[in-house]
Amino acid sequence: MIPTIKLNDGNEMPQVGFGVFQIPNHLEARSTVEAALSNGYRLIDTAEAYNNQLAIGEAISRSSTKREDIFLTTKLWVSNFTYEKAKQAIDHDLQELKTDYIDLFLLHQAYGDVAGAWRAMEEAQKAGKIKSLGVSNFWPAQLKNLELMMNVKPVVNQIEVNPWFQRTQEVEWNQKEDVAVEAWAPFAEGKNGIFTNKLLRQIGEKYGKTPGQVILRWLLQRNIILIPKSVHVNRQKENITLFDFELSMEDMNLISTLDRNKSQFFDHHDPDTIEQIFGSSLRELRL
Ligand code: NAP
């Protein structure tokens, strides 16, 4: 049984889920999610930017698992960050996902007209189209700013967390703020030999577990929600078999020595990165 995390709006979400980034092929995305559902995953994490919402919608509607037993997350991309565009995008997402509600809807990034987009999300929540509202890639100050400006507080902040980028203080800040932390790229997408790391392997051997399972268990024990992605059925099963062991405090502390304190992807603080990723989309939306 996958434990749930109680969100600050009273809703609950599974602590382990399934991410579908980088599965753009329609049939592959559909069959991967069908497999994940039959392997016991009940949280599916997609995004407008992943270009696979149609496939996810098909997988869910074809599945024998009832819609109400599935926790579906999607994310608004920055090119839809105005009030009007966000309103339209939410309806479009519902259509693509073949559902009349989204369990958790996230602002994918912290740049652009977050307030306008959030207002549309608040209205969609009132209309029953979205159950819970959250953010992704928000630094504490950006999250605090949104909280102060808007009526509904985010329930989740989905950020990169993995052994190379542990973000101890930031995770604790979010959790103290009663905003659940959800780790994206829990395996750092395999970067820097994470699946063959000597320390993670040695720890895993003590419990009869793989380095991947050690990483996911380390996140669980920090009360973090996790959404590993795999198109392989055996890995999907491995990544959800996490509840028959517990890492000792000593092993948790050993894993903390792996921290490189640096994103393995891009620095959301860096103006050049912001220009490169969001520049053209945001210029087109100028208010
Ligand atoms: P990830 O889960 O850290 O790593 C996925 C990679 O690890 C894939 O190459 C997968 O290969 C491999 N893998 C998975 N399980 C394995 C295992 N047990 N043993 C060996 N290799 C394994 O990376 P991610 O997909 O980027 O992150 C997870 C989810 O977070 C995404 O799918 C997405 O939903 C979300 N995300 C959000 C953001 C954001 O900005 N909010 C950014 C990135 C990701 P195979 O698939 O070939 O098995």
Side-chain angles (χ1 to χ4, degrees), residues 21 45 136-137 158 187 189 227 229-232 235 239:
F21 183 36
D45 182 90
S136 179
N137 298 307
Q158 186 182 112
F187 299 137
E189 293 182 7
I227 42 170
K229 168 257 175 189
S230 176
V231 296
H232 295 99
R235 291 176 177 174
N239 296 345

Side-chain angles (χ1 to χ4, degrees), residues 120-135:
M121 287 162 62
E122 287 182 351
E123 284 181 13
Q125 186 181 40
K126 274 204 183 116
K129 298 175 183 180
I130 300 174
K131 302 255 189 221
S132 294
L133 310 187
V135 296

Side-chain angles (χ1 to χ4, degrees), residues 186-200:
F187 299 137
E189 293 182 7
K191 284 180 196 287
N192 296 310
I194 209 160
F195 292 114
T196 51
N197 176 268
K198 192 171 161 203
L199 176 66
L200 295 172

Side-chain angles (χ1 to χ4, degrees), residues 148-178:
L148 292 172
M149 270 194 302
M150 309 306 293
N151 292 314
V152 177
K153 178 177 173 170
V155 297
V156 160
N157 189 8
Q158 186 182 112
I159 55 174
E160 177 191 349
V161 190
N162 51 57
W164 308 146
F165 192 32
Q166 303 193 5
R167 310 177 86 163
T168 310
Q169 283 178 354
E170 231 180 298
V171 167
E172 280 172 16
W173 183 86
N174 278 276
Q175 291 174 338
K176 277 203 191 108
E177 196 73 8
D178 202 12

